[in-house]
Amino acid sequence: MNATQEQLKVKLEQALVAAFGDEYAGVDPILVSASNPKFGDYQANVALSLSKKLGQQSRAIASAIVEKLDVSEICEKPEIAGPGFINLKLKTAYLEAQLNAIQADTRLGVPTAKHPQREIVDFSSPNIAKEMHVGHLRSTIIGDSIARILEFRGHDVLRLNHVGDWGTQFGMLITYLREVSPEALTTANALDIGDLVSFYRQAKQRFDTDEAFQETARQEVVRLQAGAADTLHAWKLLCEQSRQEFQVIYDLLDVKLTERGESFYNPLLPTVVENLEKSGLLVENQGAKCVFLDGFTNREGEPLPLIVQKSDGGYNYATTDLAALRYRIQKDEAKRIVYVTDAGQANHFAQFIQVARKAGWIPDDVELVHVPFGLVLGEDGKKFKTRSGDTVRLRDLLDEAVSRAHADLEERLKAEEREETPEFIDKVAEVVGISAVKYADLSQNRTSNYMFSYDKMLDLKGNTAPYMLYAYARIQGISRKGGIDFADLGDNAKVILQHEMEFALAKYLLQLGEVISTVEADLLPNRLCEYLYELSKKFNTFYDRNQGVQVLSAEEPLRTSRLVLCNLTARTLKLGLSLLGIQVLERM
Ligand code: ARG
């Protein structure tokens, strides 16, 4: 609900009480957007719902309300339609004043949260010594956008990279490297990350087939846990190497993260188990310590346990998440924790959160949200793979998007007979390529699987990044063509609304705040994408050579007013795209 709607709602509530008495205080006036813009902007449907209770015709109820309704500063005279709808049409002067106000506001009228709080977004979170895959890419893109939106709303956001940097995989890897590449355990960057990943695969194979190897690997884990100097040093080198590789991707995507991997919580794991023991939830089951879950059963219908400590003393992924949760609530003082992972982990989150709740670790004012997303599919509808069937390296994927954007741009320049410098072409290709990948991901409802298609995401038409970037650049083109500085339209730069298309664009511009607060609540960035796409389309109609209004060639004061609308559209696009992690181009 936006500020205007809120005001109207209050006025309607007051009118209800004035008309029918105090017992009608708090009755919802059922204020909604008008079903048909011809009748106005909003309608209140409350009269229809009261007809039975009051024993009156709903039209009569509606007129009794309208008689007491004072909205003259906001709306034209309310009209009653059909069986008793109260139609409200915003006054032109009111709309103009709102637009003039957002024009002067760097936040474009979007308020900051009433109660800013500490929020954690746990996202990206790849695993050391393994390649970052497309699932991590989705988490990185979606998590970054959510973090940007929460930050813009004024929350104190901790962007945490919960990397998998601890556990049995290091025992295998270090044991294997001692055999085949000992220098990798003592010298920084002795290996290429590609080699590291393939060594990891080979180590896993040895672990699965060779008992002596298994035993050594286990001892290596124990040495790591105990902090043996050489093993610890090797572990650090391996982490550092992966970290550098991840950073390349984060730089390309312009994503900031604070690394706080699983190892950080390692010293806190015994306390988790102790506390579960104290709260009486812990059960020993075949040597393992576990908590039985409600609502999770095996095939026989018996309750499933969440194992927090294995019979060999080792801890699990969930134990670390329990420790992390406690730390984030107690030390970070987080009021909302958002976890961005693939939907396949939904049970994991539901389970450890259930255990934490039973243990009484989650105060009432703390909200935990798992933000799940679907799979990335290839154009054949199957799991996304390279032609030869390998998993796609993220770096290759991003490079490919940029190089395709490059080729598209060169073709377009040729067709338009435009000359541009190589620097310009490289820059545009990079922004377009990376934005296309991000936008393609964000514009889908994240809960569905999404089909990765370079052709679709790079299309200049449709709900794509290039389309949106183009709309922005086109508006900047107006300022260049007219030799106008949008930032300096003068103090008299006021919006005047006359034409139907001006109204349509203006009203849409005023909805940004509402869209952002919905995204803040339901964490679905695709709603922001839809809004920006719709805005671009509205702008294109407004500015259409044949059906649109004249801008540069219009008479004053309409010319300046329309330039203000153009500039507001551009600023809204720029702000909205920045919240999706997308940078605009002045020219493309
Ligand atoms: N490292 C995990 C993976 O690659 C994701 C971690 C998500 N965050 C968490 N707190 N469990 O699947």
Side-chain angles (χ1 to χ4, degrees), residues 40 241 264 355 403 443 460 522:
Q241 180 133 26
F264 177 89
V355 168
S403 82
S443 57
L460 258 179
D522 60 19

Side-chain angles (χ1 to χ4, degrees), residues 155-170:
H155 296 296
D156 177 9
V157 179
L158 249 176
R159 302 159 154 258
L160 290 185
N161 200 1
H162 190 83
V163 294
D165 63 353
W166 199 250
T168 42
Q169 81 239 42
F170 289 96

Side-chain angles (χ1 to χ4, degrees), residues 122-128 130 133 136 139 160-165 262 265 317 320-321 324 328 337 339-342 345 348-349 352:
D122 173 322
F123 70 108
S124 191
S125 309
N127 302 313
I128 301 285
K130 296 188 194 168
H133 55 68
H136 296 124
S139 175
L160 290 185
N161 200 1
H162 190 83
V163 294
D165 63 353
E262 296 188 27
Y265 305 102
Y317 182 45
T320 304
D321 262 317
R328 291 167 182 185
I337 308 175
Y339 301 90
V340 188
T341 79
D342 61 283
Q345 297 196 35
H348 162 73
F349 287 97
F352 83 76

Side-chain angles (χ1 to χ4, degrees), residues 88-154:
L88 300 167
K89 188 169 191 303
L90 296 176
K91 271 192 172 156
T92 303
Y94 176 80
L95 284 169
E96 289 169 347
Q98 296 250 301
L99 287 156
N100 290 329
I102 65 167
Q103 154 80 352
D105 177 6
T106 49
R107 298 182 56 89
L108 291 167
V110 181
T112 47
K114 278 190 197 116
H115 306 285
Q117 59 184 18
R118 167 55 64 90
E119 304 207 355
I120 289 178
V121 186
D122 173 322
F123 70 108
S124 191
S125 309
N127 302 313
I128 301 285
K130 296 188 194 168
E131 201 104 54
M132 207 170 167
H133 55 68
V134 282
H136 296 124
L137 180 68
R138 282 208 90 175
S139 175
T140 308
I141 291 171
I142 296 170
D144 176 56
S145 174
I146 288 176
R148 285 174 189 261
I149 290 165
L150 299 179
E151 283 155 0
F152 181 65
R153 289 281 285 152

